[in-house]
Amino acid sequence: MAAITPSTHITQIRQGSIITGNLKSEQSIRVDGTITGDLLSNEKIIIGINGQIGGNLRGIDITIEGFVNGDVMCKGFLHITKDSKVYGKIYALEISIEKGAELNGKVNVGKDIEIPELNSSSPSRSNQDKPKTNAPQVEKSDNYGSVAW
């Protein structure tokens, strides 16, 4: 497989920024803020150490240094650093996981795996924008264990 040469254009979501909704870019994306929604790129995705994602990722090469609560679909090389936390299914052609990384989900890696399409939004995995009620709170969990963020 020929290497993809990323463009010089990078969409940046800086620390302190909060986005609710999906983000799609033809160029690379770097996230150091918070996004509740899916990220789709035709190039590289970087989730910085302060980046928090409540949704799915789909890109060519992906580096995760922060927090992801969603599925990761990587058509190339996926790198998960020692400080990262990933909760969700992983599909990648190649993967590197540093000692100390937290990973909770099914991992599918190899040249023969089928990477699912991601065309529309998945249900939100963030609890930050849900309305507050006086009803008693019942602890919920998803397929990835009890994850609150």
Side-chain angles (χ1 to χ4, degrees), residues 9 11 13 32 40 56 61 71-72 86 90 107 109 114 144:
H9 303 286
T11 302
I13 310 303
D32 291 301
L40 294 90
N56 301 317
D61 292 323
D71 297 344
V72 178
V86 180
I90 291 178
V107 177
V109 177
E114 185 175 329
Y144 312 113

Side-chain angles (χ1 to χ4, degrees), residues 19-24 35-40 55 119-122:
I19 295 177
T20 302
N22 297 334
L23 178 61
K24 183 176 182 179
I35 296 180
T36 301
D38 297 340
L39 268 69
L40 294 90
N119 295 319
S120 62
S121 177
S122 60

Side-chain angles (χ1 to χ4, degrees), residues 21 27 66 74 126 135:
Q27 286 81 34
C74 182
S126 173

Side-chain angles (χ1 to χ4, degrees), residues 11-134:
T11 302
Q12 293 186 334
I13 310 303
R14 302 190 50 90
Q15 187 173 353
S17 299
I18 300 173
I19 295 177
T20 302
N22 297 334
L23 178 61
K24 183 176 182 179
S25 178
E26 294 297 317
Q27 286 81 34
S28 297
I29 302 171
R30 179 177 176 95
V31 178
D32 291 301
T34 301
I35 296 180
T36 301
D38 297 340
L39 268 69
L40 294 90
S41 173
N42 288 334
E43 291 184 358
K44 186 173 183 68
I45 296 176
I46 301 168
I47 308 303
I49 196 159
N50 295 309
Q52 297 186 22
I53 308 298
N56 301 317
L57 302 179
R58 182 174 180 90
I60 303 299
D61 292 323
I62 300 175
T63 299
I64 302 173
E65 300 170 344
F67 178 83
V68 175
N69 187 7
D71 297 344
V72 178
M73 286 143 282
C74 182
K75 293 182 177 181
F77 183 73
L78 172 63
H79 181 69
I80 301 174
T81 67
K82 63 180 177 157
D83 296 317
S84 63
K85 295 182 181 184
V86 180
Y87 299 92
K89 297 176 190 167
I90 291 178
Y91 301 88
L93 294 183
E94 297 178 282
I95 192 170
S96 167
I97 304 172
E98 292 181 6
K99 182 178 179 179
E102 188 174 319
L103 178 60
N104 187 355
K106 184 176 179 182
V107 177
N108 301 282
V109 177
K111 294 178 183 172
D112 296 331
I113 67 159
E114 185 175 329
I115 299 175
E117 288 299 317
L118 177 61
N119 295 319
S120 62
S121 177
S122 60
S124 171
R125 296 176 185 261
S126 173
N127 293 324
Q128 68 188 25
D129 294 323
K130 292 187 179 172
K132 295 183 168 105
T133 64
N134 291 335

